[in-house]
Amino acid sequence: MNEPIMTMGIDVGSNFIKLVLMQYGAFPILLDKQTEKIRKRNPTQVADEMIQAMLRTHHLQFEDISYLASTGEGDLVKRKRGHFYGMTTHAKGANYFHRETRTVVDMGALYVRAIKISEDARVQDYKMTGQCASGSGQFVENISRYLGLSIEEVGEVSLSATAPEISSGICAVLAETDVINMVSRGIKTPDIIKGIHLSIANRIIKLLSSLKAESPIFLSGGMALNSGMLQAIREQLEETGKKFIIVTDPDAIYTGAIGAALWGGYRHFKLMQRKAEVEK
């Protein structure tokens, strides 16, 4: 491996943009990270402002970054050198956090993806929910807003449930109607939230079964930070008798961005190697 280089990875989602700065080499190091909610702004402009701010923080020029890589909806990011598909970046990022990972569950705003990966973080197979399914981060955020909670509160609120009420709707619209009916019947907020988490957890386990997933399973994406969601997955695994080991990380929301930065570093050295061979 040559001398370490600086790379950036940026993951543009439907609600949030995640940016990381990494030192890429034999032992990659996460140097900085930033998350920004898009809030109906131009994602290209928000991404550019985030990059400029991070460069200023570290007294760097753009030319100091050997590879800026995007993923997610980041194809519109200015001055990027490459764009990587989301499943490949989440596979690489999960491998960075937990080397033994054999399956990644990306719990994003619009859908959930279960991705089986190899020892060297290559995608082998995947299964995912539809975008209209009531098993996404956006659905949880919509329901929490309706119930008067912030998305940061739903995890703890869910953990205080005593009699969870599970929604019967698979479609998000029908599930939201279920929740409105629960409120009118006087069902307590923690029991509604816990029921939603259990419903999503049940779908995740069905995805894992369909994929013939292997353990350990790394949870990535925004919902991986939801303690109530994690508890619901563990409860459903125990109920169904599945023996999967579930792991995650406090920085799991950056999994895609980290994977992009790592693939960017890998591609940079490959391009340099090819150039050197041509010039021989």
Side-chain angles (χ1 to χ4, degrees):
M1 179 67 74
N2 297 325
E3 289 295 314
I5 58 173
M6 306 281 268
T7 64
M8 277 183 155
I10 187 160
D11 181 6
V12 180
S14 58
N15 290 337
F16 289 90
I17 297 178
K18 290 79 71 178
L19 173 67
V20 299
L21 172 66
M22 298 198 74
Q23 177 180 292
Y24 180 85
F27 302 98
I29 301 170
L30 176 60
L31 299 175
D32 200 2
K33 60 199 176 185
Q34 184 186 357
T35 303
E36 183 81 22
K37 192 160 189 176
I38 297 174
R39 299 183 192 280
K40 298 182 181 179
R41 293 175 290 172
N42 182 334
T44 299
Q45 182 177 345
V46 176
D48 191 54
E49 290 172 356
M50 291 174 68
I51 292 167
Q52 296 302 329
M54 190 171 283
L55 290 173
R56 283 195 299 273
T57 298
H58 294 271
H59 308 289
L60 294 171
Q61 301 296 317
F62 185 79
E63 291 71 24
D64 296 322
I65 305 301
S66 297
Y67 205 106
L68 169 61
S70 64
T71 189
E73 303 298 322
D75 203 27
L76 299 176
V77 173
K78 295 178 182 176
R79 297 194 287 178
K80 68 180 182 306
R81 285 187 68 188
H83 180 79
F84 296 88
Y85 190 45
M87 283 196 291
T88 65
T89 57
H90 277 264
K92 195 72 168 176
N95 179 268
Y96 171 80
F97 284 120
H98 193 84
R99 294 286 179 191
E100 304 301 317
T101 297
R102 291 296 172 269
T103 305
V104 185
V105 176
D106 172 22
M107 301 190 292
L110 299 181
Y111 44 73
V112 174
R113 294 185 291 203
I115 311 162
K116 188 187 287 188
I117 68 174
S118 63
E119 291 182 3
D120 60 349
R122 306 281 175 172
V123 174
Q124 295 180 317
D125 197 4
Y126 75 98
K127 300 286 182 182
M128 64 189 294
T129 62
Q131 289 195 3
C132 67
S134 56
S136 68
Q138 185 64 61
F139 171 74
V140 174
E141 187 169 349
N142 291 346
I143 294 300
S144 63
R145 190 181 302 119
Y146 174 75
L147 295 172
L149 299 171
S150 70
I151 192 64
E152 292 80 13
E153 293 177 295
V154 295
E156 289 299 317
V157 170
S158 174
L159 294 176
S160 65
T162 56
E165 184 89 359
I166 297 178
S167 165
S168 59
I170 295 175
C171 167
V173 174
L174 295 178
E176 287 177 9
T177 301
D178 276 354
V179 170
I180 292 170
N181 290 334
M182 290 178 200
V183 172
S184 66
R185 288 191 286 119
I187 304 297
K188 294 179 179 176
T189 296
D191 294 331
I192 296 174
I193 293 293
K194 180 62 177 284
I196 289 169
H197 285 156
L198 287 171
S199 177
I200 295 173
N202 184 47
R203 280 176 209 141
I204 289 174
I205 290 168
K206 285 181 179 177
L207 277 182
L208 294 173
S209 298
S210 174
L211 184 65
K212 296 182 171 57
E214 296 176 11
S215 196
I217 295 170
F218 184 85
L219 305 182
S220 69
M223 277 204 290
L225 306 178
N226 180 332
S227 57
M229 189 71 247
L230 295 182
Q231 178 64 22
I233 291 173
R234 291 191 169 108
E235 288 180 16
Q236 289 292 80
L237 284 173
E238 186 174 348
E239 186 173 310
T240 55
K242 303 288 185 185
K243 302 297 184 184
F244 295 130
I245 298 171
I246 302 293
V247 295
T248 188
D249 187 276
D251 287 330
I253 193 172
Y254 296 99
T255 305
I258 288 172
L262 294 175
W263 279 124
Y266 175 82
R267 181 176 290 179
H268 171 79
F269 282 122
K270 283 294 181 186
L271 291 172
M272 295 293 289
Q273 184 180 20
R274 192 176 305 167
K275 182 180 177 183
E277 290 172 355
V278 169
E279 292 175 349
K280 278 184 180 177

